[in-house]
């Protein structure tokens, strides 16, 4: 029962938030580490904390090919213009390149909290803890979700940024 009491006490007093310090090396996203369209998707996932598409492209046809305007509603509804390219895919990549080079996007990317999956991997309950919670009649999956949420909220204390914390949703 001490195991259950310990887990529940940490939830009640916000003790799990401090776990964010141990994961501080996972803060940030290097936008230049991956191709621009992938970096954009990862940025949107971590900034909005959802896997829903957080951006869209508007395509224009030109005699020389295509150009795209990238709109990122979750990032202050900013738009990024790409150059004229031979294909639609290349035009989208050009607009994503503009996002990748943007100073504001880079500034926010450096302060993104880790993904919820990375947080979960770091703080998931051990088998003995899950068993103890089950025996006490406590739904361990719900507790684990609360723990992940508490740790995630600890990243706000560390100066991390999300659309919600920026008041941008």
């Amino acid at each position: 029962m001490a195991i259950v009491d310990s887990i529940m006490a940490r939830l009640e007093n916000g003790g799990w938030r401090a776990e964010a310090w141990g994961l501080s090396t996972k803060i940030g996203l290097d936008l230049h580490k991956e191709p621009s369209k992938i970096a954009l998707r990862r940025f949107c996932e971590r900034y909005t904390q959802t896997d829903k598409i957080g951006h869209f492209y508007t395509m224009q046809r030109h005699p020389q090919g295509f150009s795209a305007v990238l709109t990122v509603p979750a990032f202050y509804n900013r738009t990024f213009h790409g150059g004229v390219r031979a294909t639609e895919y290349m035009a989208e990549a050009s607009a994503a390149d503009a996002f990748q080079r943007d100073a504001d996007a880079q500034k926010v990317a450096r302060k993104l909290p880790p993904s919820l999956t990375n947080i979960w991997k770091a703080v998931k309950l051990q088998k003995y803890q899950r068993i103890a919670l089950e025996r006490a009649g406590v739904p361990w999956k719900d507790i684990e979700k609360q723990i992940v949420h508490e740790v995630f909220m600890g990243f706000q204390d560390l100066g991390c940024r999300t659309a919600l914390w920026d008041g941008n949703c």
Side-chain angles (χ1 to χ4, degrees), residues 153-169:
M153 294 305 293
F155 286 98
Q156 186 176 22
D157 301 337
L158 298 178
C160 286
R161 297 182 63 179
T162 67
L164 179 63
W165 297 339
D166 283 353
N168 187 26
C169 55

Side-chain angles (χ1 to χ4, degrees), residues 5-117:
D5 293 340
S6 172
I7 292 168
M8 300 309 284
R10 284 184 77 187
L11 268 177
E12 290 170 13
N13 68 22
W16 288 101
R17 287 176 78 112
E19 294 293 324
W21 283 101
L23 297 170
S24 62
T25 59
K26 304 268 187 208
I27 292 172
L29 174 67
D30 181 353
L31 291 178
H32 298 289
K33 190 175 181 181
E34 299 180 288
S36 59
K37 290 183 75 169
I38 294 171
L40 168 65
R41 184 177 40 112
R42 292 197 197 291
F43 175 93
C44 289
E45 287 171 353
R46 286 176 58 184
Y47 190 60
T48 64
Q49 290 302 308
T50 181
D51 59 359
K52 294 182 179 142
I53 296 174
H55 62 280
F56 63 89
Y57 297 94
T58 305
M59 198 64 57
Q60 292 183 328
R61 191 177 242 302
H62 302 275
Q64 311 91 322
F66 302 90
S67 68
V69 176
L70 165 65
T71 303
V72 189
F75 189 57
Y76 306 99
N77 209 33
R78 296 269 314 272
T79 58
F80 302 89
H81 299 265
V84 176
R85 299 293 186 265
T87 67
E88 288 186 19
Y89 181 86
M90 291 169 67
E92 288 178 355
S94 177
D97 290 346
F99 172 84
Q100 200 176 37
R101 291 188 306 269
D102 183 75
D104 293 331
Q106 290 176 19
K107 182 178 178 183
V108 171
R110 285 190 294 272
K111 289 300 209 166
L112 290 174
S115 69
L116 292 174
T117 300

